[in-house]
Amino acid sequence: MRALRRRKCPVDYSLCNQTVTVYHWDGAATYTRTVIHGAFLDFKKTENVDKTGSSEVNSFLLVIPGADVPVAVGDKVLLGEGPEVNSREEWAALIPVKVPGLVVVRYVDPKYWNGAVVHTEAGG
């Protein structure tokens, strides 16, 4: 019997057509801003109603195709091209309550195909 093996990744990245800005702080004094073209950022709101009241939960999914992992836990991601961040005060002012479209990464999950990273999923 012949073994069939796919030659290319079975995932279609045609929806990865958005621009996002990833902000990273190294914990000391370096703030990095990376603009990524060809990403997918999706927001989701879930409402739960029970006898004690209702609650809302906001979450997101970020997909970045490519072999590198350009995002880490704790990074801030903004939909579109965002401004530069050069100081601790600017970093502290960059919060989701004040900046529409900004999210904070809670998990990073690289996805593999044939032993190599093909895209990175991040969310929170």
Side-chain angles (χ1 to χ4, degrees):
M1 177 192 250
R2 263 180 96 178
L4 297 176
R5 185 176 172 142
R6 292 185 179 181
R7 301 280 183 214
K8 63 176 191 156
C9 180
V11 180
D12 177 26
Y13 295 108
S14 63
L15 294 176
C16 295
N17 57 7
Q18 297 172 317
T19 300
V20 295
T21 304
V22 177
Y23 296 98
H24 178 76
W25 178 45
D26 69 351
T30 305
Y31 301 92
T32 308
R33 173 185 168 260
T34 307
V35 177
I36 300 172
H37 301 282
F40 176 77
L41 180 59
D42 185 39
F43 301 98
K44 180 180 178 182
K45 179 181 277 192
T46 305
E47 292 187 32
N48 185 20
V49 179
D50 57 12
K51 60 184 174 182
T52 62
S54 67
S55 63
E56 292 182 352
V57 176
N58 294 321
S59 62
F60 72 95
L61 172 66
L62 173 65
V63 178
I64 304 171
D68 59 338
V69 181
V71 66
V73 173
D75 287 355
K76 299 177 182 183
V77 178
L78 179 65
L79 182 60
E81 194 166 334
E84 291 282 340
V85 173
N86 297 315
S87 68
R88 178 75 177 129
E89 293 77 24
E90 291 175 348
W91 176 263
L94 197 63
I95 58 175
V97 173
K98 292 183 179 179
V99 182
L102 182 75
V103 292
V104 179
V105 175
R106 298 285 181 227
Y107 70 88
V108 176
D109 189 13
K111 298 297 182 177
Y112 295 85
W113 172 254
N114 286 339
V117 175
V118 290
H119 75 262
T120 302
E121 292 182 8

